Amino acid sequence: MSQTIQSVRGMNDILPGESELWELFEETIRSWLKSYGYRPIRLPIVEPTPLFKRAIGEVTDIVEKEMYSFEDSLNGEQLTLRPEGTAGCVRAVIQHNLAAQRPQRLYYMGQMFRHERPQKGRYRQFNQVGIESFGFAGPDIDAEQILMCARLWDDLGLDGIKLQLNSLGQLEERANYRAELIAYFEKHADLLDEDAKRRLYTNPLRILDSKNPAMQEMITGAPQLMAHLGAESLAHFEGVQQILRDVGIPYEINPRLVRGLDYYNLTVFEWVTDRLGAQGTVCAGGRYDGLVEQLGGKPTPACGFAMGVERLVTLIRESGAEPELEGVDVYLVHQGDAASRMAPRVAEGLRDQGINVLFNCGGGSFKSQMKKADASAAMFAVIIGDDEANAGEVTLKPLRAEEGPGQRNEQKRVSVDLVADEIMNAFFDGDDA
Ligand code: ATP
Ligand code: MG
């Protein structure tokens, strides 16, 4: 026997039982995004490698070590499986001149790929829902995106997800701070780990976001960026906070929140839970006013976030907020020649009326078909034997009998023309009760 082939490490199948929860999540996501006027954009999974190098930055975890890159064997082009969605979205906005006429609110969802060490909440293929807005410069859109998240946690029945906020100011403001930060780290060079040493002169801000326990105390004592922000940056930050206070969204300012990607400026934020262990960030984002121009477009203010779907779905399941899954309405049981010829017609007729039907395929005795009907979680069995078929009727049998006596629980013969009505009425009665 030949060896079976397994999925790639860190890239998971999502099987029935779990996948329904994903679909419910996605339905919630779509109506939530629609209610804020965000429109879907569908982007390729493969992009030219230079896009990510330019957008995300050469000295970042993603570009240094996490990208799945390869050469197109036909033309030698360098390609990469997208590790995040912002770069591709910005590319598309520039390529199609989307933000030229009016501001845009866009969203995407789908798989991202990063070569990381797989563990709970961290995979090599994972899913993000992301939104990006283009053409809005003020703090109102930053705040809107944060408020949206708060509403989503509510819609999903999740609590305990906390908002952390910071401002990265502008590039020029960071330049002064950078020099001061480097000097501070040089003074504590003996405490820096390998990653930090490598980043000291290329991307010292990233050291602030190190998770290495041995460096925490030293990092806590580091100078803070906030002290270097000018009046405009501070006013923008205050504008965001004002709206959050007005709407009553609690937040914490975290001066160490610098985000892993180079393209951010001004507002950055993360939503964090303590229920997922080390992988506690479920959503992260901020403003990136320079990126469109950096990638060759006209200067366009922009702001966005991405959330980790695996982490959120885990939270939904573990918090018991999991919604009930709906079964089909009808299981169709049929046996005998005449019955089996009539059955597909009956099933399609029910579906015409919007009733969901699980059709018994593969034959079997009445008894074994009824067992399958019970296991299907259907509300009714529609049973057709030759007897029924010859009379142009079916037997309608409620499968989820309620307590106590009542006609609803008894099976009855119904003409084929009336069976859909009978079923619909039963559903209505159930709702009224
Ligand atoms: P982390 O610090 O956890 O590595 P990040 O800063 O690299 O996160 P972002 O690039 O901001 O993550 O991505 C946004 C969100 O996508 C994260 O907050 C997280 O919820 C999710 N995410 C990122 N990487 C992974 C991964 N490898 N597996 C599952 N989810 C992920
Ligand atoms: Mg990461």
Side-chain angles (χ1 to χ4, degrees):
M1 206 172 65
S2 63
Q3 242 186 340
T4 58
I5 295 175
Q6 307 286 308
S7 64
V8 175
R9 191 164 120 82
M11 305 201 183
N12 302 315
D13 302 311
I14 298 162
L15 306 177
E18 164 120 22
S19 57
E20 284 92 349
L21 184 53
W22 278 70
E23 293 203 336
L24 282 170
F25 173 82
E26 287 161 4
E27 278 165 31
T28 307
I29 289 286
R30 289 202 171 94
S31 60
W32 161 71
L33 287 163
K34 206 168 159 191
S35 79
Y36 282 87
Y38 282 75
R39 296 177 66 195
I41 183 165
R42 293 175 179 246
L43 302 159
I45 284 176
V46 178
E47 296 275 4
T49 304
L51 172 67
F52 299 115
K53 291 193 173 167
R54 275 169 69 185
I56 300 171
E58 298 268 2
V59 195
T60 55
D61 283 347
I62 292 180
V63 172
E64 276 180 343
K65 53 192 181 196
E66 295 176 357
M67 293 206 302
Y68 281 91
S69 297
F70 57 98
E71 190 182 288
D72 184 319
S73 60
L74 292 180
N75 64 7
E77 194 180 0
Q78 294 300 318
L79 302 175
T80 293
L81 301 185
R82 64 182 183 194
E84 52 100 62
T86 303
C89 188
V90 170
R91 180 207 40 74
V93 164
I94 298 170
Q95 185 172 336
H96 305 286
N97 213 8
L98 280 188
Q101 304 302 322
R102 61 188 67 84
Q104 295 283 335
R105 287 177 166 91
L106 304 173
Y107 81 85
Y108 56 82
M109 48 211 272
Q111 289 95 330
M112 307 294 159
F113 302 83
R114 297 184 193 176
H115 202 280
E116 304 201 64
R117 191 172 65 78
Q119 52 199 291
K120 188 184 174 190
R122 195 174 290 290
Y123 311 99
R124 290 180 172 173
Q125 175 183 277
F126 62 99
N127 285 264
Q128 286 185 338
V129 174
I131 74 170
E132 318 287 355
S133 69
F134 298 92
F136 300 100
D140 46 1
I141 192 87
D142 314 32
E144 173 183 277
Q145 296 190 350
I146 292 169
L147 299 180
M148 287 175 71
C149 296
R151 174 172 304 279
L152 179 65
W153 313 147
D154 225 49
D155 290 352
L156 294 171
L158 297 173
D159 53 22
I161 305 180
K162 299 211 173 89
L163 172 61
Q164 298 197 348
L165 204 60
N166 194 20
S167 175
L168 298 181
Q170 304 292 8
L171 208 61
E172 320 80 68
E173 295 161 342
R174 284 207 297 277
N176 297 327
Y177 171 62
R178 199 172 174 273
E180 194 179 314
L181 195 59
I182 292 175
Y184 175 83
F185 287 138
E186 280 173 336
K187 234 173 36 201
H188 297 92
D190 51 321
L191 289 172
L192 299 180
D193 63 15
E194 281 312 306
D195 265 352
K197 278 190 189 128
R198 203 158 33 83
R199 290 186 171 144
L200 181 54
Y201 300 105
T202 49
N203 199 348
L205 261 76
R206 288 298 318 282
I207 300 176
L208 293 175
D209 130 277
S210 159
K211 308 243 157 48
N212 183 348
M215 288 171 36
Q216 295 310 300
E217 207 186 311
M218 184 270 293
I219 290 174
T220 308
Q224 296 198 355
L225 174 55
M226 204 59 76
H228 292 263
L229 299 194
E232 257 184 64
S233 294
L234 288 172
H236 187 101
F237 196 37
E238 176 51 31
V240 176
Q241 293 176 65
Q242 183 66 56
I243 298 172
L244 297 181
R245 284 195 301 267
D246 287 347
V247 183
I249 305 293
Y251 59 89
E252 187 195 326
I253 293 180
N254 176 0
R256 288 180 50 179
L257 184 66
V258 294
R259 306 285 307 117
L261 319 179
D262 277 357
Y263 51 56
Y264 288 105
N265 69 317
L266 294 173
T267 319
V268 289
F269 62 90
E270 288 193 1
W271 288 90
V272 186
T273 172
D274 53 18
R275 296 196 190 140
L276 290 173
Q279 271 59 250
T281 304
V282 293
C283 175
R287 185 164 275 284
Y288 53 93
D289 293 329
L291 186 59
V292 177
E293 191 178 12
Q294 189 184 314
L295 292 179
K298 296 198 190 75
T300 309
C303 186
F305 64 68
M307 48 183 70
V309 179
E310 283 76 5
R311 293 181 195 180
L312 283 169
V313 169
T314 303
L315 261 192
I316 294 169
R317 199 171 336 90
E318 288 181 2
S319 67
E322 194 166 344
E324 229 175 273
L325 298 179
E326 281 175 35
V328 291
D329 305 319
V330 164
Y331 192 96
L332 204 147
V333 170
H334 56 97
Q335 207 207 25
D337 288 344
S340 294
R341 288 204 48 195
M342 182 170 112
R345 236 183 329 118
V346 173
E348 290 306 315
L350 291 174
R351 292 180 183 123
D352 284 343
Q353 305 298 314
I355 295 168
N356 298 330
V357 181
L358 201 57
F359 187 86
N360 188 83
C361 285
S365 66
F366 271 123
K367 198 172 157 207
S368 79
Q369 291 190 43
M370 284 307 296
K371 265 196 195 155
K372 290 181 197 156
D374 276 324
S376 75
M379 298 294 290
F380 294 94
V382 166
I383 304 164
I384 311 175
D386 282 342
D387 221 28
E388 282 93 344
N390 292 329
E393 293 178 342
V394 306
T395 296
L396 185 61
K397 183 179 191 320
L399 295 172
R400 307 269 157 267
E402 280 152 28
E403 298 280 312
Q407 278 197 316
R408 284 197 58 208
N409 301 338
E410 276 152 35
Q411 67 175 55
K412 58 177 165 187
R413 291 272 288 252
V414 187
S415 139
V416 167
D417 299 332
L418 295 178
V419 62
D421 286 349
E422 280 285 336
I423 291 169
M424 298 300 248
N425 286 341
F427 276 121
F428 266 121
D429 286 358
D431 286 349
D432 281 355

